[in-house]
Amino acid sequence: MAQTKPATKFKPPKLTSMLGEFKDSVSITKETAAQIIGLPLRIFDAAKKPYKVANYQLTYKKAGFREDEVTGKLIPTTTLSYQLFTETPVSPIWVKTIQEQIKSGDELYFFEIVAKDDQGRIMYSSNLKFTIK
């Protein structure tokens, strides 16, 4: 009978996601958002060791208005655009769209950020949410 080696327990490290200099959910200007959207998403542990980005999702929540067909009044509304990315930074079309359209009240939300270590183990990193002021 073959002996099997017991599996070693792996405790994933606490990972932090960064875009530009930002690592926490914050309010930023539209100019700052336009600058950082083209930067690569980076992942680090507490010892500042970098991890490879496997994939992540980005939601672009746009604030806007729609007209009430009966009263003609403008009603606040939002629209969502989202996509799963397997490379960083986001695709050029997303960079261009966000740089051209982002405005006060919009949000950029990076979530389900999956990192990979040198051994190929998969783990989650912190989310990033940017509210545009």
Side-chain angles (χ1 to χ4, degrees):
M1 184 185 250
Q3 290 191 352
T4 57
K5 184 179 175 184
T8 56
K9 286 270 187 184
F10 172 66
K11 183 177 183 333
K14 182 179 186 309
L15 299 178
T16 301
S17 305
M18 290 186 72
L19 189 66
E21 64 193 54
F22 301 101
K23 61 182 179 181
D24 291 314
S25 297
V26 293
S27 290
I28 58 175
T29 65
K30 65 181 183 178
E31 292 80 14
T32 300
Q35 289 173 0
I36 66 171
I37 193 61
L39 297 176
L41 188 62
R42 297 174 298 143
I43 301 172
F44 297 93
D45 63 16
K48 303 289 185 228
K49 178 184 174 200
Y51 287 75
K52 182 181 182 327
V53 176
N55 60 63
Y56 58 97
Q57 295 198 56
L58 171 60
T59 298
Y60 176 25
K61 181 177 174 184
K62 294 180 262 188
F65 294 93
R66 69 173 181 83
E67 185 178 343
D68 182 295
E69 294 176 12
V70 176
T71 65
K73 291 183 181 179
L74 292 179
I75 301 169
T77 188
T78 58
T79 59
L80 289 178
S81 300
Y82 59 92
Q83 185 170 336
L84 172 70
F85 292 95
T86 56
E87 294 192 3
T88 186
V90 298
S91 65
I93 188 73
W94 272 74
V95 171
K96 184 177 188 299
T97 300
I98 290 169
Q99 287 176 337
E100 290 176 353
Q101 297 180 9
I102 199 139
K103 64 190 175 313
S104 179
D106 290 356
E107 290 179 358
L108 297 172
Y109 184 46
F110 292 82
F111 64 104
E112 291 186 9
I113 301 169
V114 178
K116 205 183 264 193
D117 69 8
D118 295 338
Q119 290 78 39
R121 295 178 293 210
I122 304 253
M123 55 206 91
Y124 283 97
S125 187
S126 61
N127 296 337
L128 287 172
K129 184 176 187 179
F130 300 104
T131 304
I132 310 307
K133 55 183 172 183

